[in-house]
Amino acid sequence: MRDCIFCKIIKGEISGNKAYEDEDVLAVYDIDAKAPVHILILPKKHIKSVMELGSEDAALTAKLFKTAKELATSLELDKKGFRLVVNTGEDGGQSVAHLHMHLLGGRALGWPPG
Ligand code: 5GP
Ligand code: ZN
């Protein structure tokens, strides 16, 4: 997608501070961290949101969770806990229309969100 900021990071057209990469998934540190650890886990395929996930994306979806789990383990967030968030649509607070999972941790997180 030509105007998608996350596709540009995936293609290397703009820089991103990478936490993990393989052929299907890229994880980058959020540019505006909301917690001591704040990583965005992106499918390399341009999918606008959860609402555009199809049955053909089942393995990719599983891989997003697997990546989150492995990053949480390697950063030792698993010991005290962490949060995975997928904002969806306007009321969900989604600001970038390329599916992404937030991995947040490193402090006690409040609930409910605002
Ligand atoms: P959303 O609000 O759509 O759930 O999350 C989008 C996230 O992308 C925000 O947390 C925002 O800080 C982050 N973000 C926006 N532009 C960039 C960028 O150019 N690089 C990185 N690493 N994160 C970005
Ligand atoms: Zn995109």
Side-chain angles (χ1 to χ4, degrees):
M1 276 288 169
R2 218 157 40 90
D3 294 327
C4 173
I5 193 155
F6 287 171
C7 281
K8 287 182 180 171
I9 292 174
I10 289 161
K11 285 188 223 148
E13 292 172 9
I14 59 173
S15 64
N17 189 2
K18 290 179 192 178
Y20 173 80
E21 183 169 21
D22 65 27
E23 66 275 23
D24 301 312
V25 170
L26 177 68
V28 291
Y29 286 89
D30 197 292
I31 204 168
D32 182 19
K34 304 293 193 295
V37 175
H38 188 174
I39 294 173
L40 303 171
I41 302 163
L42 328 169
K44 288 192 171 178
K45 176 181 174 185
H46 181 85
I47 299 169
K48 275 191 200 158
S49 80
V50 162
M51 298 311 296
E52 288 208 345
L53 277 171
S55 52
E56 69 278 13
D57 300 312
L60 181 58
T61 306
K63 201 162 182 183
L64 298 178
F65 279 97
K66 180 172 179 278
T67 302
K69 181 180 154 181
E70 289 175 357
L71 281 168
T73 303
S74 69
L75 294 166
E76 299 190 341
L77 298 178
D78 55 324
K79 294 189 168 56
K80 293 195 79 178
F82 57 91
R83 187 170 294 164
L84 301 176
V85 176
V86 183
N87 294 325
T88 305
E90 191 182 345
D91 277 4
Q94 183 177 6
S95 61
V96 179
H98 180 127
L99 177 65
H100 51 282
M101 182 183 280
H102 298 255
L103 167 61
L104 296 146
R107 66 170 170 83
L109 298 163
W111 191 265

